[in-house]
Amino acid sequence: MLQYERMAAAIDRLLNGGSAALSEAAGATCLSPFYFQRQFRRFVGVSPHRFTAALKLNDIKARLKKGDDILTATWDAGLSGGGRAHDLFITHEAVTPGEFRRRGKNISITHGVSATPFGKVFIASTARGVCLLRFIDTTTPSAVLDELHRLWPQAKTKKDNQAAHAVARRMFSGASAKTPLHVIGTNFQMNVWRALLAVPVGCVVSYGAVAKALGKPKAGQAIGRAAAANPVAILIPCHRLLSQCGDLTGYAWGIPRKRALLAKESLQSAPLKLEQTSLELSAQ
């Protein structure tokens, strides 16, 4: 069994009330306590005990106001201009209207499936970056491949599970390498996604805070729709969105997974470097 799959099983067990005692958690994955602890820390970032404590979310709701302040400060600092070609937290390589209309012509896309600690994912990438990332526990790779063809109808696609696994390994191994993105969205969606990329690891924001940062204080529902349209799960962190009262609502990949992602991030010791993710966006 791949270590990703072992850790995914361990996380699932903890989410379902399994004991965080090291001996029991290790035994459930058929690993020694020492090796299990090391692998869990590698993939999740903290010990099973600390992870279980964070799942209770006792402090995540308290982070909401702090997260709002961080987002507001970020945008007030001058990052809210939708027409800017370069933001401090995004490397934005402009895509021309002609390139958008061609929707993938002369572009090659590799796609594949990889196990991760939070479930199996379908990952597709162009030469410029990841263009689609979906969890597939409630769907099939063929269904996501159909979505890829709808988004990029003229692209040439090729299956490459090793390439997908390499992306997943970078995402969940704690590596600091950049994960470039190459995604398509409307101007409004792009602005929402930029706002979400500005939320540091370990922080959360409300739909209302994002709407306010975008200068559209009554657009909370539209923010939710833009987050739901996010084509790259986790990499554009829509899991950091909470309701105004701090409830874990509205996550396409399930509340337990959202809780697990937030728990992991809230316990990470190293803060997010805002230049860590580069994003290329094509506006509809």
Side-chain angles (χ1 to χ4, degrees), residues 20-220:
L22 187 57
S23 58
E24 294 183 37
T29 56
C30 300
L31 296 174
S32 71
F34 173 79
Y35 190 68
F36 171 77
Q37 177 94 320
R38 187 171 69 177
Q39 291 299 308
F40 196 92
R41 283 183 175 275
R42 175 190 171 194
F43 289 110
V44 183
V46 295
S47 69
H49 180 76
R50 290 194 67 198
F51 181 76
T52 302
L55 288 176
K56 298 177 182 178
L57 297 179
N58 288 333
D59 67 332
I60 288 181
K61 289 184 179 181
R63 295 170 182 263
L64 185 59
K65 186 177 184 300
K66 179 181 178 182
D68 288 355
D69 291 343
I70 288 173
L71 185 61
T72 301
T74 299
W75 284 69
D76 285 349
L79 301 181
S80 57
R84 295 184 63 181
H86 296 276
D87 290 337
L88 294 181
F89 57 94
I90 296 175
T91 300
H92 178 184
E93 182 177 339
V95 179
T96 68
E99 288 176 323
F100 171 76
R101 284 194 298 270
R102 290 192 289 271
R103 295 299 284 267
K105 187 176 182 180
N106 300 323
I107 289 178
S108 295
I109 297 177
T110 61
H111 63 86
V113 173
S114 177
T116 80
F118 298 95
K120 286 187 177 181
V121 292
F122 177 103
I123 301 175
S125 303
T126 71
R128 297 176 180 178
V130 177
C131 61
L132 190 66
L133 194 156
R134 294 283 192 244
F135 287 99
I136 57 172
D137 49 345
T138 59
T139 184
T140 64
S142 61
V144 185
L145 184 58
D146 289 342
E147 180 184 2
L148 177 66
H149 289 152
R150 289 194 299 271
L151 288 170
W152 303 85
Q154 298 191 59
K156 296 180 179 179
T157 60
K158 178 183 178 181
K159 185 175 181 179
D160 189 341
N161 285 333
Q162 289 301 112
H165 183 63
V167 173
R169 187 169 58 247
R170 289 197 303 270
M171 288 173 58
F172 295 105
S173 65
S176 59
K178 288 184 178 181
T179 302
L181 307 179
H182 186 189
V183 295
I184 295 173
T186 66
N187 285 330
F188 181 75
Q189 288 170 341
M190 292 194 307
N191 284 334
V192 172
W193 298 342
R194 287 190 180 102
L196 294 177
L197 285 167
V199 181
V201 170
C203 295
V204 291
V205 294
S206 68
Y207 294 91
V210 176
K212 181 180 178 181
L214 294 177
K216 300 180 182 293
K218 297 182 179 180

